[in-house]
Amino acid sequence: MSDTIKYLLDEERLPKAWYNIVADLPRPPDPVLHPGTLQPVGPQDLEPLFPMALIQQEVSAERTIDIPEPIRAVYRQWRPTPLFRARRLERALDTPARIYYKYEGVSPAGSHKPNTAVAQAFYNKEAGVGRLTTETGAGQWGSALAFAGALFGLEVRVYMVRVSFDQKPYRKAMMEAWGAQCVASPSTETEAGRRILAEHPNSPGSLGIAISEAVEIAAQRADTKYSLGSVLNHVLLHQTVIGQEAIAQLEMAGDYPDIIVGCTGGGSNFAGIAFPFIGAGLRGGPRPRVIACEPSACPSLTRGKYAYDFGDTGHLTPLVKMHTLGSTFVPPGFHAGGLRYHGMAPLVSLLRHAGVVEAVSYPQLKCFEAAVTFARTEGIIVAPETSHAVRCAIDEALKAKDEGKERTILFNLSGHGHFDMAAYEKYLAAELIDYEYPAERVREALAHLPQVY
Ligand SMILES: Cc1ncc(COP(=O)(O)O)c(C=O)c1O
């Protein structure tokens, strides 16, 4: 049909395996280093924090890893997610480009995050773990892990970045409805939190700080492990169901993307949609342009350094090679809380460094403008994080119009913004401001990068 709006896959088309891009990389990723010795870590170093099944996935070079049936059974509640053709947006832009978006907002928590939350809860439960700690920026990840914890009978304690905690009180209520606890970070519960508060009593918090708090608590109790919502290889791996489904859905549409777009906080939804396509290209197939979109107030991929750095502000995590703005950098309190992270997934960073992935950055007002255009054409009110991808997709569609080129653009609609209406309200009242790139603070944070030779 020529006017199809949504491409749906039956439940049995849900992928049976995750795709691991490490198998197709031109070189192996750089090793993860121990924060004390600066030597490569072994599985036993990570065991206090993660169950062995996830550690094995973290270091795996196998191209595919089977998805256990109990995880697929939960995925089936909302997966495969729909792929939409944005026909009304295309008409409004008067573009010859075909725009498709994969809608991850249909999950119970409202974003792509349950794809890994469910997997992580399953493997922790299998390993006999009773309790998980984690960080959350926007609240999407904390909600996703709370949901997954409820399904697998795990206690969940979430450290939510202070500025988002204040901006979005109902995310906490949502986590509590699923039986989790949610604490504003920095908190007085941890050494890491108390240290930050002593220096900056009004700290807005950051993902780097919340990670330190969650890791510190997890390391104290044998029944507790830590769960990370982005950045790590196994998290990106779990998200690849998105891109695999999109490949099948675009096949139904008789199309293939020229451009793939995703927003990047820690890199997981971007990797989820892009890696299966990038992998096909690395194995000799077509190579679409792949664009990572980030906030100009926290631009790790476009302005950061590609270097070894800590994953957290309190320096409790191992060191990874990534694009970083410095682990002590606390981004300004813009509304895309899930993009306020100083670093970027090592696998996304490696592909950016190798020139396989492009990156762009946008200030928040331009993103909200795009989000409102999208809401008024496609109807979906996207999360502020996702609005960065919408901005890029619209810009690329307008470029195609200027150049008179038919192009196929695919973007990941990582989540809805139903808990972000205070931000939309401010934008519509012209009360939202853009933040300058905090060059001086980034310089200061980068001056303290660990010395790794
Ligand atoms: C809706 C949404 N999109 C994107 C992100 C960014 O995370 P990642 O880069 O890991 O996909 C978040 C993080 O909280 C989010 O909530």
Side-chain angles (χ1 to χ4, degrees):
M1 248 194 305
S2 62
D3 54 354
T4 303
I5 297 281
K6 59 186 185 308
Y7 297 89
L8 300 173
L9 296 173
D10 289 338
E11 275 182 31
E12 61 267 24
R13 302 282 307 273
L14 178 68
K16 293 195 166 54
W18 293 298
Y19 165 64
N20 183 9
I21 198 166
V22 172
D24 292 317
L25 291 178
R27 67 171 178 86
D30 295 290
V32 172
L33 304 183
H34 191 281
T37 64
L38 302 188
Q39 294 303 309
V41 296
Q44 67 289 352
D45 295 313
L46 298 172
E47 240 185 324
L49 293 183
F50 304 107
M52 195 44 77
L54 291 176
I55 296 171
Q56 281 164 356
Q57 290 180 1
E58 189 62 23
V59 297
S60 171
E62 295 293 317
R63 182 170 287 117
T64 57
I65 293 174
D66 288 344
I67 307 175
E69 196 43 46
I71 297 176
R72 293 184 80 239
V74 179
Y75 279 175
R76 277 203 293 276
Q77 189 166 353
W78 71 96
R79 303 210 72 86
T81 59
L83 178 83
F84 287 93
R85 170 92 184 265
R87 291 187 187 272
R88 283 181 304 273
L89 176 65
E90 289 169 16
R91 277 199 293 276
L93 300 175
D94 189 24
T95 173
R98 288 183 295 279
I99 306 173
Y100 297 87
Y101 56 96
K102 184 78 169 143
Y103 188 35
E104 289 296 305
V106 293
S107 78
S111 76
H112 63 295
K113 297 285 183 182
N115 296 333
T116 183
V118 169
Q120 293 191 43
F122 168 79
Y123 289 116
N124 273 288
K125 186 70 182 179
E126 284 259 289
V129 174
R131 187 167 169 258
L132 290 174
T133 60
T134 195
E135 74 294 329
T136 194
Q140 291 268 23
W141 167 243
S143 308
L145 196 67
F147 154 66
L151 296 191
F152 289 98
L154 291 163
E155 256 186 70
V156 175
R157 191 165 187 82
V158 182
Y159 292 84
M160 183 168 183
V161 174
R162 164 59 75 183
V163 62
S164 298
F165 185 91
D166 293 339
Q167 285 165 350
K168 303 193 234 188
Y170 293 123
R171 275 284 167 194
K172 173 174 185 268
M174 203 173 179
M175 291 177 229
E176 288 172 348
W178 276 310
Q181 297 150 340
C182 175
V183 182
S185 165
S187 77
T188 52
E189 287 187 1
T190 65
E191 194 49 50
R194 288 190 292 271
R195 218 178 313 132
I196 298 280
L197 287 173
E199 248 187 80
H200 308 283
N202 298 318
S203 170
S206 69
L207 278 166
I209 295 169
I211 292 171
S212 296
E213 295 208 90
V215 167
E216 186 181 321
I217 295 291
Q220 285 166 2
R221 270 173 53 170
D223 69 339
T224 305
K225 296 229 185 273
Y226 167 66
S227 179
L228 185 61
S230 189
V231 181
L232 294 176
N233 299 355
H234 68 267
V235 181
L236 275 53
L237 173 83
H238 300 153
Q239 295 294 351
T240 59
V241 287
I242 303 173
Q244 292 184 71
E245 288 174 8
I247 287 176
Q249 286 162 312
L250 283 170
E251 222 171 79
M252 287 167 76
D255 220 335
Y256 202 81
D258 299 301
I259 301 173
I260 300 171
V261 173
C263 67
T264 43
S268 75
N269 88 87
F270 170 79
I273 194 143
F275 280 9
F277 289 95
I278 294 176
L282 292 171
R283 295 192 302 277
R287 291 192 172 208
R289 283 178 63 206
V290 185
I291 311 175
C293 313
E294 60 183 12
S296 46
C298 188
S300 57
L301 277 173
T302 48
R303 307 281 289 260
K305 210 164 163 173
Y306 187 48
Y308 270 103
D309 199 3
F310 292 94
D312 71 323
T313 304
H315 297 177
L316 302 174
T317 68
L319 281 72
V320 294
K321 182 91 175 276
M322 62 178 173
H323 283 84
T324 178
L325 298 165
S327 62
T328 55
F329 170 62
V330 176
F334 53 85
H335 276 275
L339 308 185
R340 292 181 65 248
Y341 184 58
H342 66 272
M344 183 51 60
L347 287 174
V348 174
S349 295
L350 187 157
L351 289 163
R352 166 83 182 114
H353 191 66
V356 176
V357 161
E358 301 172 32
V360 288
S361 70
Y362 301 110
Q364 67 176 355
L365 289 181
K366 282 186 70 162
C367 296
F368 274 97
E369 181 195 45
V372 167
T373 300
F374 193 78
R376 291 177 185 178
T377 50
E378 293 299 308
I380 297 172
I381 295 175
V382 304
E385 290 78 13
T386 312
S387 71
H388 293 69
V390 176
R391 175 77 269 163
C392 182
I394 289 179
D395 285 357
E396 288 298 331
L398 292 175
K399 218 182 286 171
K401 176 177 163 176
D402 284 349
E403 293 169 8
K405 294 260 168 63
E406 268 192 30
R407 280 198 188 110
T408 299
I409 301 168
L410 167 68
F411 78 89
N412 198 12
L413 202 167
S414 55
H416 68 63
H418 297 177
F419 292 82
D420 299 276
M421 297 320 295
Y424 276 88
E425 194 174 37
K426 274 194 162 175
Y427 171 73
L428 294 169
E431 286 168 6
L432 211 60
I433 55 159
D434 275 336
Y435 292 94
E436 288 295 310
Y437 169 63
E440 190 44 50
R441 284 177 23 225
V442 171
R443 210 174 3 257
E444 162 67 17
L446 284 175
H448 301 294
L449 278 184
Q451 299 297 309
V452 176
Y453 300 102

